Amino acid sequence: MSGPGLTIPIGQFIPGESPVHGLDPRTKLVATLAFAVALFAIEGWSGVGILAAGLAVVLALAGVPAVYLWRSLRPLLILLVLTFVIQAFSFPGEPVVGLGPFSITREGLSRGGFLTMRLGMLLVSSAALTLTTAPVALTDGIEWLLGPLRRVGVPSHEIALMMTIALRFIPTLLRELDDLIKAQKARGADLSLRDPRRLADAVLPLVVPLFVLSFRRADDLAVAMTSRCYRGAVGRTRYRELKAGAGDMLASVALVVWFVAALSVGRLWGA
Amino acid sequence: MTIAQETAGAGTLVVPALCFRGVSFRYREDRPLALDGLDFEVGRGELLAVVGGNGSGKSTLARLCNGLLEPASGEVLVDGRNTADPDSLWPIRSNVGLLFQDPEDQIVGASVEDDVAFGLENLGVPRDEMLRRVADVLEVVGLAGEEATEPHLLSGGQKQRLALAGVLVLEPTLLVLDEPTSMLDAAGREEVLDFVRALTRRGVGVVMITQHMGEALEADRLLALDGGRRAYLGDARSFFSLGAFKELPLGTPPAMALAREVLGEVPLADLPVTEDELVGVLGGARSGEGAPPGRPQSPGGPDIGSTGTPAVSPGVSQGVPPDVTQGLPQGVSPGGGRAAGPQADRPVVTLSAVSVVYNRGTSLERRGLEAVDLTIEEGSVTAVLGATASGKSTLLQTLAGLLKPTAGVREWSGRARPLAGEVGMVFQRPEAQLFKGTVWEDVAVAPRLRGVEGAALEARVKWAMSAVGLDVQEFGPRAPHGLSMGERRRVALAGIMSLDPALLVLDEPGAGLDPLARRHLIELLAAWAAGEAAGARSKAGVRGDGTSRGRADGASGPRTLLLSTHDMDEAAEVADRVVILRHGRIEATGPAARVLSDFDTLERAGLRPPLAAQVARRLGARSVDAVVEGKGLSQWLGNRDPS
């Protein structure tokens, strides 16, 4: 079972003792959502500046290494660059550089930069959330936030439990996948996807066994959960208590001031 | 009448922890009964072992105990409550702890403490009480300090203890264990058994389903199932000493098997059943106190237990010729490979100063192997031993060329990389890798990928399947997933043997199999290796006939076998050489008989000596005597007697 050589990094939560780590997950979830809203409600660069400065303070407080932030941005870098380029070329206005029928305009550069900055900050802020919040705490926070929606039929408890079980079994399945890759390679299988015509040959030796394993596990897990008296959300108590403390109060006030400042500054100057 | 009731004294009516009354059950109308009119009771504080072959109804019994299944007829009572009564269902489930084979599938929480709390949350226990009970039970199972650990980071034994904690936190009055130790090594198994014993002393009734007859002997009483019916219910020792177990497809208690090998033809009733009894009889035989005749006799007779299979395969039981085991300069040569012994064979693979580091440069950096020097010689059967996480899998994968060392040099027969098909590796639980619709197709995968087609492919598949004891006509067209676990394991093995590798590497080939299937597999491997390996080993002397089990396609060269195991008796039986790992370093390497009788080295590596070695030690043998299996024990007893 304990196949060595697992090289796939799992999870991106970095445990720490910072004030940001210590916040209630609900505070952080709400703040991240509010930050996203603020990002798209602001007008002008002054708002961006205030939000960026605030985000930098949060990141500094959290003590998250820059390399992790970079890693969370990297996969979407192409999207950011594309956004910038398309905006720069497509916005009508005073040309800066002309390329045949296309030209980069001053307004385009400004719009592109504005949009790209905001998208980038959205990615960084959500990375800041997951880097400083344990996945378990995150699911708890989500369950709480979805709680009010229970009345309209949203199964908040079940959603949270599904997320917990997924978190619990992803490492297990990754390890099994890792073992399978090695085992099939030992049989001489070519698992690279170089030749699209041989896609099935590369994928089936992994997918079929992984499905069989997962279904068996799911079956056994259901029996084990029932044996441990699981019967849905009814009459359940919680081991983890979400507790918002003084720090959360302080953080909430700071956040409100920050967002209001960012939103109003553009409007005031514009007026 | 249960023991508990009898001892409770007259007048006191004690409700048994569990009571089956005429219980029958079937999964579907068109299927035969899985359980048929079963009657038994488990008293408070009683340990009942349940044994039986595959499909005898053991797991069905477990699922009836807490109302996961309802009997078709008859009734199941837990603490006097009927499981068929809907109002009793939740009280019963909170009173019955059910524990299955694979702890991985029973852990729900994303951290240790979350998982333990799961059952309490479900029952609506107030939070303060929950905190206290979780902390208490983690202390009891020895996982205190691991509260926030994610379950996938725990070792196998720790996972089993976590699964146990999740059940114990509900303070059950009845514990039902469905083969709880089959995934554990000897130390882990003993740990779980000690724990179960402690629970019975606190009044918990325990039903322990097991395939290990040595374990079954520990129980107060034993229930044997055969086709869903009660085949035996009573004293555990009598089940074996009276021979009732021979009627069922069950293994033999290890001490009893060893006794049969050493004592020869003794009436069953006189045969020792436990290690203590065996030591007593052998010790008595020496001082001539009328114990069964200690007639040391050559082993390998076909009559060991009910299996009907010879305990030791011909050619392999020899293990290492006595001159090799005893005549060598003593002292183990750590890390030094084999000093020029009497048979300096051709090396198949050589490691020099090989180190493996995982996740180098990250916070997860972990050392797998450190400065390992090792030579595996052609025709040898080498067992790699070591405690959990000592680097066994890493070493095997490095030797098989599937894992690149961080430092050091590897050579396969003098080349920097093995030839295609030269090395075959079978991973742990290889049955997971089967993915084709039929057994034939799955065995054919590897040769096909190497371009073998047509008649040659037919021949390869047939040869590989027969090497693992599967009939091509019968098993070829069947779907792998419909086979038993032991059969699937053999299919997976054939899938690598079909490559006809000169070096076959197996990581824990017997893990998770029941003792009979395990025994069968080890015999197959021993026979496979013996075909030519015997020839290579006796190079100086007789050339083994080697023709009956020649390599596929007439390839030449002897076979070399390399396997890891946590079963010392298995190692003593099949291996002629042993490598012992500890924290990624080689603690000892050398002839099997010598290393496996070196108690100090084994203890340092966290291993238990083979049973025969332990018995011999208790009778006064020393490491120099190199007694590690039945034959060696017989010889040693024979040599000692005249004095």
Side-chain angles (χ1 to χ4, degrees), chain A residues 86-105:
Chain A
I86 290 170
Q87 288 284 333
F89 273 105
S90 62
F91 215 77
E94 181 191 331
V96 182
V97 185
L99 285 171
F102 305 103
S103 60
I104 298 174
T105 63

Side-chain angles (χ1 to χ4, degrees), chain B residues 131-273:
Chain B
L131 290 174
R132 187 177 48 75
R133 280 166 71 173
V134 169
D136 285 351
V137 85
L138 285 177
E139 193 72 48
V140 168
V141 299
L143 284 175
E146 302 282 352
E147 285 82 0
T149 308
E150 292 172 34
H152 69 97
L153 297 174
L154 299 176
S155 73
Q158 283 177 318
K159 278 182 193 160
Q160 191 57 280
R161 279 186 277 150
L162 173 57
L164 195 60
V167 161
L168 288 181
V169 78
L170 300 178
E171 292 165 5
T173 54
L174 177 72
L175 201 56
V176 180
L177 310 165
D178 192 351
E179 300 183 29
T181 62
S182 62
M183 318 272 287
L184 303 176
D185 60 11
R189 195 174 294 159
E190 203 156 288
E191 200 174 79
V192 169
L193 284 180
D194 285 349
F195 204 84
V196 166
R197 273 273 162 229
L199 285 173
T200 57
R201 282 194 291 275
R202 279 162 45 182
V204 178
V206 180
V207 175
M208 182 171 69
I209 297 169
T210 181
Q211 302 260 22
H212 288 268
M213 297 306 124
E215 231 167 74
L217 266 173
E218 305 259 321
D220 299 317
R221 284 192 310 152
L222 184 143
L223 168 68
L225 294 179
D226 186 22
R229 290 167 190 271
R230 193 172 89 182
Y232 178 90
L233 178 65
D235 172 54
R237 195 191 175 282
S238 308
F239 176 64
F240 296 102
S241 61
L242 300 180
F245 76 104
K246 288 201 163 198
E247 311 296 319
L248 301 173
L250 299 173
T252 309
M256 201 172 177
L258 182 62
R260 168 66 78 202
E261 210 175 326
V262 174
L263 297 174
E265 294 306 316
V266 174
L268 194 63
D270 294 338
L271 209 56
V273 172

Side-chain angles (χ1 to χ4, degrees), chain B residues 234-323:
Chain B
D235 172 54
R237 195 191 175 282
S238 308
F239 176 64
F240 296 102
S241 61
L242 300 180
F245 76 104
K246 288 201 163 198
E247 311 296 319
L248 301 173
L250 299 173
T252 309
M256 201 172 177
L258 182 62
R260 168 66 78 202
E261 210 175 326
V262 174
L263 297 174
E265 294 306 316
V266 174
L268 194 63
D270 294 338
L271 209 56
V273 172
T274 64
E275 185 188 328
D276 287 345
E277 288 176 25
L278 179 59
V279 171
V281 166
L282 294 177
R286 179 173 54 166
S287 44
E289 284 172 5
R295 195 166 17 129
Q297 154 174 337
S298 106
D303 183 29
I304 292 294
S306 64
T307 67
T309 48
V312 186
S313 302
V316 180
S317 64
Q318 304 289 335
V320 181
D323 60 309

Side-chain angles (χ1 to χ4, degrees), chain B residues 36 41 97 102 141 148-149 156 202 206 211 284 379 434 490 549 577 594 624 639-640:
Chain B
D36 190 356
E41 282 181 6
D102 190 351
V141 299
T149 308
R202 279 162 45 182
V206 180
Q211 302 260 22
L434 306 177
R490 282 189 273 150
R549 281 184 180 273
R577 300 197 61 84
R594 198 183 70 203
V624 194
N639 293 340
R640 187 199 55 169

